[in-house]
Amino acid sequence: MSLYSELFYAKEINELFSDNQTINAFLQFEASLALAQADNGIIPAEAAKIIAQCCNASFIDTEKLKKEISLGGNAAIPLVQQLTRIVKNNDFEASKYVHLGATSQDVVDTALVLQIKRFIIWLEEQLKKLTQVLTTITQQHRTTLMIGRTLLQQARPITFGLKTAKWLENIETDKVRIEACKNRVLVLKLGGAVGSGNGNISLEVQKSMSNALGIGLPEMNNGLVELATTLGILSGNIGKIARDISLLMQTEIAEVFEGAAEGKGGSSTMPHKRNPVTSATIIANATRIPHLVGSMLSSMTQEHERSAGLWHSEWEPITQIIQLTAGSIEKTIDLLANLEVDSNRMLANIELTNGLIYAENVSLALAQKMGKINAHELIEKACKLSVSQGKHLKVVLAEMNIDIPDVDELFKPENSIGNSLEIIDNILSKF
Amino acid sequence: MSLYSELFYAKEINELFSDNQTINAFLQFEASLALAQADNGIIPAEAAKIIAQCCNASFIDTEKLKKEISLGGNAAIPLVQQLTRIVKNNDFEASKYVHLGATSQDVVDTALVLQIKRFIIWLEEQLKKLTQVLTTITQQHRTTLMIGRTLLQQARPITFGLKTAKWLENIETDKVRIEACKNRVLVLKLGGAVGSGNGNISLEVQKSMSNALGIGLPEMNNGLVELATTLGILSGNIGKIARDISLLMQTEIAEVFEGAAEGKGGSSTMPHKRNPVTSATIIANATRIPHLVGSMLSSMTQEHERSAGLWHSEWEPITQIIQLTAGSIEKTIDLLANLEVDSNRMLANIELTNGLIYAENVSLALAQKMGKINAHELIEKACKLSVSQGKHLKVVLAEMNIDIPDVDELFKPENSIGNSLEIIDNILSKF
Amino acid sequence: MSLYSELFYAKEINELFSDNQTINAFLQFEASLALAQADNGIIPAEAAKIIAQCCNASFIDTEKLKKEISLGGNAAIPLVQQLTRIVKNNDFEASKYVHLGATSQDVVDTALVLQIKRFIIWLEEQLKKLTQVLTTITQQHRTTLMIGRTLLQQARPITFGLKTAKWLENIETDKVRIEACKNRVLVLKLGGAVGSGNGNISLEVQKSMSNALGIGLPEMNNGLVELATTLGILSGNIGKIARDISLLMQTEIAEVFEGAAEGKGGSSTMPHKRNPVTSATIIANATRIPHLVGSMLSSMTQEHERSAGLWHSEWEPITQIIQLTAGSIEKTIDLLANLEVDSNRMLANIELTNGLIYAENVSLALAQKMGKINAHELIEKACKLSVSQGKHLKVVLAEMNIDIPDVDELFKPENSIGNSLEIIDNILSKF
Amino acid sequence: MSLYSELFYAKEINELFSDNQTINAFLQFEASLALAQADNGIIPAEAAKIIAQCCNASFIDTEKLKKEISLGGNAAIPLVQQLTRIVKNNDFEASKYVHLGATSQDVVDTALVLQIKRFIIWLEEQLKKLTQVLTTITQQHRTTLMIGRTLLQQARPITFGLKTAKWLENIETDKVRIEACKNRVLVLKLGGAVGSGNGNISLEVQKSMSNALGIGLPEMNNGLVELATTLGILSGNIGKIARDISLLMQTEIAEVFEGAAEGKGGSSTMPHKRNPVTSATIIANATRIPHLVGSMLSSMTQEHERSAGLWHSEWEPITQIIQLTAGSIEKTIDLLANLEVDSNRMLANIELTNGLIYAENVSLALAQKMGKINAHELIEKACKLSVSQGKHLKVVLAEMNIDIPDVDELFKPENSIGNSLEIIDNILSKF
C-alpha cells in the first residue's frame, strides 16, 4: 500500500489499522478480559490491574512479533507470549491469569471488531458529510437543465439535481444497511478453544467485557462478511458517482469538472489537460472492491470449529475493503464539495441533436392522433431526414407538413423533464 | 444449465425462471400498467381491458423474440412490439396505449422483481424447513459428545448439538437479512426513458401498479445487488454445513453420513464407497456464488441514466445466484433431514489421541498451582512423551509424578465441553 | 441462458454444448475406449464393435439421465448405466466390457475436451476473421486523423489506424496464447479410479484412444483453467474494443458507429437513438468473464485424488466462459465488419480545444530554448488564457508575444501523430 | 500487509517492492532514457550523464512524493518534478532533458517491469528448488503405499510418490507457462503521451533502452495480466499441495506432517496440537489470489489510449499477486523440505476399511466370469454385509461361497496400485 497510501486511501483509517493500533486493540482485549474476570471473581483484582497496566503497545517488540507470527500462524500467540513475559517481570502471580480461557481467534477477531467500531464512527461522520454535500448540490441544481443519457446516447432532458438526488438516495440507503449491519458486526468474540466457552469466559465475563468495550454479546452472525458486502455496495454507489463525473468531464461534453487545485489533474506531457484524477482513483477502488468482497465470501466455508486457512484469508481482504472504501468516501466528499458545474454548457449540449431528443415528445403527441406505432414510424422517418439533411427536427416536421399543435412547447427542455422536480423533492423530503 | 438442472438447482425455481414464466412476468407488467393508467383516467378503460387480455405468454412467438433481442439489446423491445401487434389485431385504438410512458428497463427490471417476489416466498418456506430440521437435530444431539476440531486437528470435546446450533444461528441471521432486504428489492421499477417519470407514469399510476402487483413504490436502492450479497452470505453458511458434513464423512472419521438412497453416492468403479454427493454439490455452488456476487458488484458503476453494458451484465448472474442458492438450500434440507449420525464413532474418535485433547484441562488445573506458563511447558513435555511412547497422557502424568487432584474427572469428555449446553439452549431459546 | 441465447452467445457454440452434443461426446469416449481396448487385445473385437454401435445419443433417455445425475453426483454414472443396459439388450457378453477400467472423471473430462477441440477449431476461424477485418480497417484508416484520448480527455492526435492496430496486436497475441494452450488442454483424461491407471487402460490403450480422438496423451496440466484464463484475456481485449466504440459513439463525439441494421439499436421510447447495442453486449460479457475465470481458479485446490465439490464447480463456469467468449467474438467481428467511421467528425473534434492539444508541441519547441520546466509553465499560462478567454492558443501565443518558429506547422494534426504510421506498419508487417 | 509481512509473504520480495526499490526502478527508467537519447544524438551526452547521476533514490523526498501522488494521480508526475529540480540544481541545461518525450505510464509500467524481471529471476530459482524437493520426495516415496482418496473417501491404493509426482508435473507445467509469458511481460513501455511515440523516443532510443535494461522492445500484449493469470494457476497448484497436506495431517489420518520447528504450529490453549500452520497460510493465499486475478482481468476494458481508473486499478493487485505467490512458494519449499511422512500409518490406514477398498479388484476379477453388472451387484451386496457385520470383505466373500481364484493377491495393496510406478517414472523422466 505504502507508495499509494494517500492516493487510494484515507490517512486516518490507514492509521487506525497501523501495526501499533492493531497491537493496541489486541491488548485492549487482554486488559478487558482480565478486568472482567476480576469483576466476576475469577481472578484476583490485583492481578487484573497489573495485567491491564502491562497492556501497552509500547512494551511490545513488533519486529519479534512479526517474525513469530509465522510460527503460530496468527498474531495472538506471540503477542500473548510477550505480554505474559512482561506481566511476569512485574508480578509472577499475575502472569498466571493472562489470556485465561481465551483462544487466539477471540483476540484477533475482537481486536478487529474494536477497530471496526472506530471505523464505523468515522464512516458515519463521513456519510453525513457526503449526504450533506449531495443535498446541497441537489438543491442548487434542482432545475439546472441537462440532457439525460442512456447507453451513452443523449436521450431526454433531466435536471442535474435529478441525477444527484438519485446518487443521494443510494447513499441514504447505504446508511440504512450500515446501521442494520452494525449490531451484527460490533460484537465480542469469546468462545475459547472450540467455541464452547468455559468457566473462565462465562456469560458474566462476556457481559462485563461487552459493556466495557461498548460492543454486543457474542453471536455467530457473519458480521465481517456482511460488513464487506455492505461496504461493497456503498463502494459501487460511490463508484457510479465518479463514473458519471469522469464521463461528464470529457473534453467533448465538459459539463462538470473536478475542482481545480494547485497542481491537480495536470498531465506530465500535456499542459492543457484537466484529468479526472480523483474520479479515476475512486473508479479504481470500485473496480477492485467487488473482487475483495468475493474473496471474503469465498472464505465462508470454514472447516469445523476453526478453519485451516479460511480464517486467515479474511484478515487482509476485510482490512483492504475498509481502507479502500474509506479512501473512496473521503475523496468523493472532496470531489463533490469542489465540483464545478457548467450549466451553460449543459444547456448547449441539449441542443446538439437538432431537436432529435424531443422526438419522443412529438411521438407521444402524435400517438394521440394516429396510435403509437404509426406515430413512432413517422417520427423515425423524420428523424432520419433530420440526420441526413442536417436540419432541425422542427424544420423537417414542418417540411413534411405534419400538423402538431403547440409544437414549440414540445421542443423546450423545461417541458421535457417529466416528473424530475417531484422526484427530487420526494427524495429530499425523505432524509 | 440443462444437463445439470437437477444436480445444482431446484426444479421449482428453474421453472420460475423459464422463458415462459419470464415472458409472463413481462406481460404482467404491461397489463398492470395499462390497468393502472385506466384507473387513473390516462387511457380508456376498454383499451386497458383489451391490452390486459392480450397479455398472455401463449400468444408470444418465443423464437422470434430471442432472435430480435439481439437487435434491440433487451427483451422488452421485441416483446412490446409483438404485444402491440397482438393488441392491434384485436383493437386498433387500444394498441395506441401499450407500454405507454414506460421504458424497456421498467419492464425488464419489474418483471424480475415479480419473479424474485415468488422466489422469496419459496425461499422463506424453505428456510423455515431448514431451521426446523436444524432445530430438531440440535435438540436430538444436544448432549451427543464429539470432538471439536480446529485447523483440522482434534482440539477439545463439544457436543454435536453445539455444532448444529451454530449452523442454525447463522441461518436465523440470514433470515433477518433477507427480511430487511425484501422491502428494498421488492419494488416497482417505473421511471420512463431517463428515470425522470412522465405524466403517463405518474405517482398515482405507480401507486395503483404497486398495489396491484403487491410490491413497493419505486426507489433507487440497489435492491438486486443487496439480494445478491444476502444470498451470497446464505450460500456461504450453507456451504459451511456441507463442508463439515463432507469432512465428517471421511472414511477415517465416519461420524456423520448423508442418508443412503437407492443408487446414491456410489462410485462407478468402487462398489463400497459412500460419497458425499449432496455435500459436494452444495460446496460446488458455494465455490461459484462468491464470484457471481462479485460480478453483480462489478455491475454497479453504471454510466449516467442507464448503462451500456452494466445493466445487461446483471441479468444472468442474478438469476444464477438465485437458482444456485435455491438448489443448495433444497439439497441442504434433504441432506439434514436424512443425516445419519454415528454417536458411538464420535465417542470412539474422542479417545484417539491417548488423552491429549484433555491436556488443556490438566494445564488449566495445574496453572492454578504453578502459573500458566509453567503449566503449559510441563504439559507440553508430558504430551511429547505421550506421543513418542504411545502412552495415554494420564499414564505419562502418573509416571512423571505430577500430582493432580481429581485427575479422572479431567479426562471425561462430558466434563470438557465448556458451556456447550448453555450456548445451545441460548440459541434455541432465541428463535 | 435461454431467453438471451442469441444476445450474449453464439448459436453454433450453444449447439456444441447442448445436452445432445454433450451426451454424444460422452459416448464418443466410451466407443473409443472399447475400440482401443479391442485393438490392444484387452476385450473382444466383436464386443467393442457392439459397444461402439450402441454409443448413439438417440438411444439415451435424457430426462432419466438428468434425474439420476443427482444420485451419483456426475453425469457419467447414469450414462454408463444406461449404455450398459442398451449393450446388454444387444449382447450380454459385450456388456461386461463397457467403461472397463475407466472412472467417471475420465468420461466427463475427456468429453469436455472433445467439445473444446471443436470449439477451438471454430475459435481459430473466428480469430482469423477478426484479425482480417482489423487488418483491413487498419489499412483503410492508416492516416485517418483523430484525437487520442487519455483519462477520457482529449490528448494529442493519432490516427484511427493506430488505435485499431493496437487492437489487432492484442488479438494476435491472444492467438499465440491459444496456440500454446491448445496442446495442454486437448489431451485425453484416462486415469481410472484414483488416477493410477490399470491394466485395462494401459499406455497402449491411451495411445490408441489419443490417436483415434485426435488429442494428446494424458497429462496433469491444468489445461481447463489455462483455457479459462486465456479466454479471459481474449475477452478483455475484445471488451476494450467494444468499450472504445461505445465511447466513440457518444452523441457528443459521434466519430464511429455500429453498422445500422433494420430495427437495430433503436430505443423503445426514443425513435432517434442509435444505441451501441452490440458493444453493450460485449461489455456485459467482459464484465462477467473475469469473475468466471476467478471461479475456475478457486476450483484448483482440490482434495486428494478427486475433489468433493471443486471438480463439480468447474463444469458450468468453464462452459459459460467458452460460450460467452464465443458470443463476444462473433459479435465483435460483425461489429467491426459493419463499422461506420466518420472521419470528418474526427477532424472536427480535433479542433474542439482551440489548439490546446498542440500545447505539448509548442512546449517541446520552446523547451529547446528555455528548458522544459519554464516552457511547461509558460504554456500552462497560455492555455489558461486560451480557456478563460475562449481564444485559440495560437492567438494567445501571438498576443503574449512569444516567438515560436514555424508555429503553423506545430498546429497541424498530421504533424502531431508522432510515429503512428511507423507503429502501424510495424504491427501490420508482423502478422 | 505490515503485521503479516512474514506470514503470507516472502521477505526478499517484500523488499523488492518497497517504496525505495520502486523509486529506484522509476529512476532507472529515467536514467536509461536520458542515456539512450544521448547515445542517439537526441540530447547532449553531458546532460544525460548528469541526469543519470541524479537518478538516486536517496535524493528523493518520499513523504512529499506520497502526498503529491494524489494531485497528479500517479507516481511519475511528482517524481519527475523532484528529479527535474534535483538536476536543475546541478545543471540548468541538463534539466531541459529530463523525461523527454516520455509519459507517466511509460515510467510507471516500465519500472514495474524492471521489478518483475528481478522477481522472475527469484521465482525461477525458487521453482527450481521446489521441483528438486518434489523430485526427491517422489523418488523416496516411489513405492510408499498409501490409500488414494476421492471425494474425501478412501478409494484404492496408490503410492505417495504418485501423489507427489502429480504435484511435480503441475509445477513443471507452470514453469513452461512462466517461460512463455516472460518474453511478453518483460518489455519496455515507451509510447509517449498517447502511445504514438515521437522523435525523442524513436525506435533507436527504444532499442538502446531495451538493451541497457535487458528487456524486450515495446509491444501491446497484456503481459501484466498474463503474468497475473500464470501466477494464479501456479498458486492454485501450490494451494492443492497445501490442501492435501493439511488433510493428511488430520488427527484421524496422521500420515504426513509439517516439519516440527521450535514453537511452530502450537495452539495457545491446547499444548498437544500440531496445526498445519504453513499449509493454512498457503491455503489462505490460494483463496485470495483467484479474486485478485479476476481484479486484473476486470481492469482490461480500458478507455481509449489510457484509462481513467482501470490503469490505476492494476498497480496494487498485480503487486499483491506477486507478493502472495512469492510467500506461498517460499513456504511450500520449506514445507516440503521438512515434510514428515509416516509410512506405517499410511499402511495401517489402508486396512481401515476391512478390505472394502479391494472390492473393485474382486469385482473386476468376477466380471470376467459373470459380466460387469452382475459382478458389481454381487460385490455391492458383499460390501454391505462387510459393513453391517463388521467383518473383513475376504471373510464375507468366503462365507458367501463366492469362488475367486488367487483371492489373497487381490487384497494386497502393492497389487492394487495400477500403473502408479510407470506414471511416476514417466513423469520423472520428462524433467
Side-chain angles (χ1 to χ4, degrees), chain A residues 230-276:
Chain A
T230 304
L231 296 181
I233 298 175
L234 169 60
S235 150
N237 282 326
I238 286 176
K240 189 265 186 292
I241 298 175
R243 170 79 67 208
D244 277 3
I245 291 174
S246 70
L247 289 169
L248 294 173
M249 273 182 80
Q250 286 175 101
T251 311
E252 297 84 358
I253 293 186
E255 299 181 356
V256 157
F257 296 93
E258 298 192 359
E262 183 57 31
K264 189 185 164 204
S267 153
S268 65
T269 57
M270 286 158 291
H272 68 285
K273 283 191 73 184
R274 193 156 172 191
N275 286 328

Side-chain angles (χ1 to χ4, degrees), chain A residues 147 149-156 243 246-247 249-253 255 257 262 266-277 280 290-291 298 345 349 352-353 356-360 363 372 376 379-380 383-384, chain C residues 147 149-156 243 246-247 249-253 255 257 262 266-277 280 290-291 298 345 349 352-353 356-360 363 372 376 379-380 383-384:
Chain A
I147 191 71
R149 295 170 177 94
T150 57
L151 286 103
L152 293 170
Q153 297 282 301
Q154 288 205 359
R156 288 173 61 71
R243 170 79 67 208
S246 70
L247 289 169
M249 273 182 80
Q250 286 175 101
T251 311
E252 297 84 358
I253 293 186
E255 299 181 356
F257 296 93
E262 183 57 31
S267 153
S268 65
T269 57
M270 286 158 291
H272 68 285
K273 283 191 73 184
R274 193 156 172 191
N275 286 328
V277 167
H291 295 276
S298 286
R345 182 62 183 256
N349 282 342
L352 280 182
T353 56
L356 285 175
I357 56 160
Y358 300 111
E360 193 191 13
S363 188
K372 254 187 63 185
H376 189 104
I379 294 305
E380 209 166 16
C383 290
K384 280 181 185 162
Chain C
I147 191 70
R149 294 171 177 95
T150 58
L151 287 102
L152 292 169
Q153 296 282 301
Q154 288 204 359
R156 289 173 60 73
R243 170 80 64 209
S246 70
L247 290 169
M249 273 182 80
Q250 287 175 100
T251 312
E252 297 83 357
I253 294 187
E255 298 181 358
F257 296 93
E262 184 57 33
S267 152
S268 65
T269 56
M270 285 158 291
H272 67 283
K273 284 190 71 185
R274 194 159 171 188
N275 286 329
V277 168
H291 295 275
S298 285
R345 181 64 183 256
N349 283 342
L352 281 181
T353 55
L356 286 174
I357 56 161
Y358 301 110
E360 194 191 12
S363 188
K372 255 188 64 187
H376 189 102
I379 294 304
E380 210 165 14
C383 290
K384 280 182 184 160

Side-chain angles (χ1 to χ4, degrees), chain B residues 304-378:
Chain B
H304 301 311
E305 282 56 66
R306 185 166 307 117
S307 173
L310 299 196
W311 171 42
H312 312 74
S313 60
E314 291 175 358
W315 303 336
E316 293 194 325
I318 184 65
T319 308
Q320 288 167 358
I321 291 168
I322 290 172
Q323 289 180 310
L324 289 169
T325 304
S328 286
I329 201 164
E330 193 173 86
K331 274 159 223 308
T332 303
I333 293 166
D334 181 66
L335 174 60
L336 291 169
N338 295 291
L339 200 70
E340 297 176 14
V341 179
D342 186 340
S343 56
N344 290 327
R345 181 62 184 257
M346 284 177 171
L347 263 183
N349 281 343
I350 291 179
E351 299 306 320
L352 280 182
T353 56
N354 266 335
L356 285 176
I357 56 160
Y358 300 110
E360 194 191 13
N361 286 2
V362 186
S363 187
L364 286 173
L366 280 179
Q368 305 297 327
K369 294 208 301 193
M370 62 179 75
K372 257 187 64 186
I373 298 168
N374 293 338
H376 190 102
E377 279 167 10
L378 192 66

Side-chain angles (χ1 to χ4, degrees), chain B residues 66-192:
Chain B
K66 289 188 192 184
K67 266 199 197 65
E68 293 177 352
I69 287 176
S70 298
L71 292 173
N74 67 63
I77 296 173
L79 188 84
V80 170
Q81 284 169 351
Q82 284 200 33
L83 175 62
T84 307
R85 232 156 276 153
I86 294 161
V87 174
K88 209 176 193 174
N89 288 342
N90 280 268
D91 184 284
F92 180 80
E93 175 65 15
S95 73
K96 295 180 192 174
Y97 305 112
V98 172
H99 191 66
L100 194 68
T103 196
S104 296
Q105 189 162 5
D106 295 335
V107 198
V108 172
D109 286 4
T110 303
L112 180 56
V113 164
L114 295 174
Q115 288 172 299
I116 289 173
K117 193 188 165 197
R118 289 169 57 192
F119 163 66
I120 288 184
I121 292 170
W122 179 91
L123 178 67
E124 289 176 333
E125 279 168 22
Q126 300 295 316
L127 285 173
K128 205 173 153 186
K129 283 187 205 166
L130 179 56
T131 53
Q132 276 169 347
V133 67
L134 277 172
T135 301
T136 304
I137 291 177
T138 301
Q139 288 165 338
Q140 280 172 346
H141 293 287
R142 185 175 172 275
T143 59
T144 304
L145 294 165
M146 76 181 297
I147 190 73
R149 294 170 177 95
T150 57
L151 286 103
L152 293 169
Q153 296 282 303
Q154 288 205 0
R156 289 175 60 74
I158 56 171
T159 71
F160 184 51
L162 180 65
K163 189 186 274 278
T164 62
K166 293 191 171 184
W167 295 346
L168 171 64
E169 192 174 18
N170 278 333
I171 304 293
E172 290 289 355
T173 315
D174 284 316
K175 283 182 178 174
V176 175
R177 271 186 285 262
I178 289 163
E179 185 60 32
C181 157
K182 222 163 73 173
N183 294 326
R184 286 189 284 265
V185 67
L186 297 183
V187 296
L188 179 66
K189 303 286 176 179
L190 188 55

